[in-house]
Amino acid sequence: MGKLLFGIVGLILGAGLGAFVVAPVMSGAAAGIGVATGLSAGICATVQAAQEEGLLSAQQVDQVLGRAAADMSALAGQAAPGGVVGGVEECATVMERLQAANEN
């Protein structure tokens, strides 16, 4: 009977910890991924529109995105962030992934 009671108490404690500790952490991570994806998509849509309007060349886009990444990393006091879009090729990849996800 003691082993059964120990198992039930462990199950209850595990469920409680999972609901109140692990779930918020996972939700925060998922929200961070969503924000990064949305930010990249917004940047890329804006950059592609500027290119289509003839306002920026591919080299200028790379220069602007590189500068923005450097400025953001300086504000954060870190090395250049890996999740920030840094060029025309990366924007094309982001938009292709977004379009593929939208088709599914």
Side-chain angles (χ1 to χ4, degrees):
M1 186 69 174
K3 291 181 184 180
L4 179 64
L5 184 62
F6 184 73
I8 292 172
V9 170
L11 179 66
I12 292 170
L13 286 176
L17 284 175
F20 294 109
V21 176
V22 176
V25 171
M26 288 175 43
S27 297
I33 292 169
V35 168
T37 301
L39 180 62
S40 294
I43 290 169
C44 290
T46 303
V47 165
Q48 284 183 347
Q51 280 185 296
E52 290 170 4
E53 292 293 325
L55 300 174
L56 293 173
S57 68
Q59 295 81 16
Q60 289 170 324
V61 168
D62 289 340
Q63 180 181 357
V64 168
L65 291 178
R67 178 58 184 251
D71 289 349
M72 289 303 294
S73 64
L75 283 174
Q78 301 173 354
V84 176
V85 179
V88 175
E89 289 106 18
E90 290 178 39
C91 271
T93 303
V94 166
M95 296 308 277
E96 287 172 6
R97 278 189 284 146
L98 202 59
Q99 187 175 13
N102 191 30
E103 291 173 357
N104 292 330

